Amino acid sequence: MGHRRLRLLWRFLVFLILALQILSAADFDPYRVLGVSRTANQADIKKAYKKLAREWHPDKNKNPGAEDKFIQVSKAYEILSNEEKRTNYDRYGDVGDNQGYSQQQHHHFRHFHDSFYFDESFFHFPFNSERRDSTDEKYLLQFSHYINDVVPDSFRKPYLIKITSDWCFSCIHIEPVWKEVVQELEGLGVGIGVVHAGYERRLAHHLGAHSTPSILGVINGKISFFHNAVLRENLRHFVESLLPGNLVDKITDKNYVRFLSNWQQENKPHVLLFDQMPPVPLIYKLTAFAYKDYLSFGYVDLGQRETEQMSSQYNINMYAPTMLVFKEHIHKPADVVQARGMKKQVIDDFISTNKFLLAARLTNQKLFQELCPVRKSHRQRKYCVVLLTGEGEPFKKTYESFLAFASANTKDTVRFVHAFKERQQELAISLLGEDIKPGESSVAILERRNSAGRIVHRTLASVWSGSEENKFALLDFLDRLRKDPSLLSSESILTDLNDELAPVGLCACDEGTKIFRTSFE
């Protein structure tokens, strides 16, 4: 009997609550709340709303009833600014919260303020001398901007994009966290974007965002949606999860020699960051992603005993993050930077000036264009000194002597590179002619005149063996070339270099070269 009474009491309470909600809704008149007539146009409604929002905002009005009044004003505007809701109210007196109640008995009533955090800057009034728009306007995206700029750029850095709209009260709730995260992640190298679904419906639809607010990430042109609570740590972990997992190798005393020795096979400088943070810092992962095509990255945790040998060998300061870049010599870094709280600009400057080996191998057209850029003017000439050689132990001494010369004569106007004649046959024929002797190495100097392949060049008469006479002759020629560019007397049109790093099935070369590459790799 007691249980039955409790059930009856519970049903009565539920009925009473729902009845009160309905009666409350029935008493709510949005026209009266905003002080406008039923024939008021949208401009009048918006004007009245702004005036009342200023007057009753809880952060400006300390009256005990200000918060409830502000909620009523906001709710009234939500109804009257939406033509569908306004029409429904005009016809049926329904304010929207209990819409369809007779058909949907399961509708859950909630106090309007329970679900949202109100930030005064959302309403576009200069409370505290700032506007909500001021942060987002800087990052607003349009469809063409997203397709032409963001997507290509996402292959170098991940993007965090927020989808928002006007009068989106949930958007207000995430605003403080979003601002904090944007400030932090942008400083680390993450791209930021904001899409206003009301004005950029095409882009919002393209991204697959069907509600606001939505947050998504874009990397390598691929879209991933964020589904967790909008908290700083969650968003930070989301961005980190977008990045490939193999960007940075964990380096210890056991594997550092093997890691640094891969420069020849990968044709890249190798970078080591020494720090006392157990996890790899996010800024370092972002840097590794941005420069993955140019360098390989390793991380050394100074808090581990297994890194003491390295720390001692390279004389690492234990009290500040230190970054070393190694090129062709693994026992001595080519460059070093050390700074407390390593900033993105410091890292970018350091990495961008060390993107290439001292005498990198020409493995594809893209690398050739970067190492040997087209001259922009007579005052900005860029010469490439190319060692055309074979590969393997018989040519080791020849290459090392060329590398030693390059290390001692590095200048802004000269870039030293080398190429394997068997892999870059078209280049070898253009610079040396048809009479190529497999067992000999030669040095040619070239200047690219345009992007269509036109070059001027000159090949040294003597075979390059690395002798002192060879070095003296090359140094003399470079000195004379600075004064007389006409010394590059031959002209050729180069076809694109063979892409040695392409999959074998995509190789644009003869069958013999395919077999050779497969065995080499």
Side-chain angles (χ1 to χ4, degrees), residues 275-299:
D275 202 353
Q276 295 199 31
M277 300 290 290
V280 179
L282 178 56
I283 189 173
Y284 195 53
K285 289 183 179 181
L286 291 166
T287 301
F289 181 74
Y291 294 96
K292 60 185 180 298
D293 294 335
Y294 298 97
L295 306 99
S296 292
F297 292 81
Y299 181 71

Side-chain angles (χ1 to χ4, degrees), residues 103-116:
Q103 292 80 26
Q104 301 179 34
Q105 297 286 335
H106 64 277
H107 185 84
H108 298 283
F109 291 92
R110 292 185 299 174
H111 192 281
F112 185 71
H113 189 33
D114 288 343
S115 303
F116 304 105

Side-chain angles (χ1 to χ4, degrees), residues 32-174:
R32 178 169 49 79
V33 172
L34 292 184
V36 296
S37 69
R38 289 181 173 269
T39 59
N41 57 33
Q42 287 296 322
D44 293 336
I45 292 170
K46 189 172 185 178
K47 182 178 179 181
Y49 165 69
K50 286 185 175 182
K51 177 183 177 182
L52 291 170
R54 286 194 189 97
E55 179 182 354
W56 292 104
H57 196 283
D59 288 345
K60 303 298 290 183
N61 191 325
K62 301 307 178 182
N63 188 304
E67 185 174 359
D68 288 336
K69 181 65 175 178
F70 180 75
I71 292 171
Q72 288 185 8
V73 169
S74 300
K75 184 63 178 178
Y77 183 74
E78 181 186 15
I79 295 168
L80 298 185
S81 64
N82 184 301
E83 291 298 337
E84 183 179 351
K85 290 184 178 181
R86 183 179 182 182
T87 300
N88 192 67
Y89 176 80
D90 290 342
R91 288 178 179 175
Y92 309 112
D94 191 343
V95 299
D97 279 344
N98 61 327
Q99 192 174 45
Y101 175 75
S102 60
Q103 292 80 26
Q104 301 179 34
Q105 297 286 335
H106 64 277
H107 185 84
H108 298 283
F109 291 92
R110 292 185 299 174
H111 192 281
F112 185 71
H113 189 33
D114 288 343
S115 303
F116 304 105
Y117 166 80
F118 289 91
D119 178 356
E120 73 272 16
S121 57
F122 170 76
F123 296 96
H124 308 285
F125 303 130
F127 305 132
N128 299 329
S129 302
E130 66 178 23
R131 293 167 54 96
R132 173 181 181 269
D133 287 9
S134 61
T135 300
D136 286 353
E137 283 179 358
K138 177 182 175 182
Y139 306 106
L140 285 176
L141 297 178
Q142 296 179 338
F143 186 84
S144 60
H145 178 206
Y146 173 80
I147 296 297
N148 298 325
D149 298 322
V150 171
V151 172
D153 201 35
S154 72
F155 288 83
R156 292 179 290 272
K157 64 182 179 183
Y159 271 77
L160 189 67
I161 297 177
K162 179 182 70 170
I163 316 296
T164 187
S165 63
D166 284 339
W167 321 121
C168 162
F169 294 108
S170 296
C171 299
I172 307 167
H173 185 73
I174 69 170

Side-chain angles (χ1 to χ4, degrees), residues 361-411:
R361 179 161 63 91
L362 298 178
T363 55
N364 54 50
Q365 184 67 16
K366 179 176 179 292
L367 186 60
F368 176 53
Q369 291 171 345
E370 292 196 65
L371 289 169
C372 306
V374 174
R375 73 169 189 179
K376 296 180 180 179
S377 68
H378 290 289
R379 295 183 178 182
Q380 292 180 307
R381 293 182 180 275
K382 297 287 185 180
Y383 299 111
C384 251
V385 181
V386 186
L387 172 67
L388 296 156
T389 186
E391 54 184 309
E393 193 64 29
F395 299 92
K396 183 177 180 180
K397 183 178 178 181
T398 300
Y399 166 75
E400 288 179 346
S401 64
F402 181 76
L403 176 60
F405 183 89
S407 301
N409 293 279
T410 301
K411 294 180 174 60

Side-chain angles (χ1 to χ4, degrees), residues 320-431:
T322 303
M323 191 174 290
L324 307 181
V325 61
F326 296 82
K327 297 187 177 180
E328 287 88 345
H329 305 292
I330 70 171
H331 299 296
K332 182 180 179 182
D335 204 355
V336 57
V337 64
Q338 187 178 78
R340 295 185 184 278
M342 198 82 75
K343 301 296 183 183
K344 180 181 183 298
Q345 189 61 54
V346 173
I347 295 176
D348 283 346
D349 291 344
F350 178 73
I351 296 297
S352 61
T353 56
N354 288 289
K355 285 168 58 176
F356 304 108
L357 297 169
L358 293 172
R361 179 161 63 91
L362 298 178
T363 55
N364 54 50
Q365 184 67 16
K366 179 176 179 292
L367 186 60
F368 176 53
Q369 291 171 345
E370 292 196 65
L371 289 169
C372 306
V374 174
R375 73 169 189 179
K376 296 180 180 179
S377 68
H378 290 289
R379 295 183 178 182
Q380 292 180 307
R381 293 182 180 275
K382 297 287 185 180
Y383 299 111
C384 251
V385 181
V386 186
L387 172 67
L388 296 156
T389 186
E391 54 184 309
E393 193 64 29
F395 299 92
K396 183 177 180 180
K397 183 178 178 181
T398 300
Y399 166 75
E400 288 179 346
S401 64
F402 181 76
L403 176 60
F405 183 89
S407 301
N409 293 279
T410 301
K411 294 180 174 60
D412 292 339
T413 56
V414 178
R415 177 83 73 179
F416 293 89
V417 297
H418 73 285
F420 292 150
K421 292 183 292 184
E422 295 85 354
R423 300 195 182 201
Q424 301 295 343
Q425 296 178 10
E426 295 296 330
L427 175 66
I429 291 172
S430 296
L431 297 178

Side-chain angles (χ1 to χ4, degrees), residues 487-507:
L487 289 175
L488 301 181
S489 53
S490 300
E491 185 172 329
S492 298
I493 301 295
L494 285 180
T495 58
D496 285 356
L497 268 62
N498 176 39
D499 188 353
E500 299 177 18
L501 305 179
V504 174
L506 301 178
C507 176

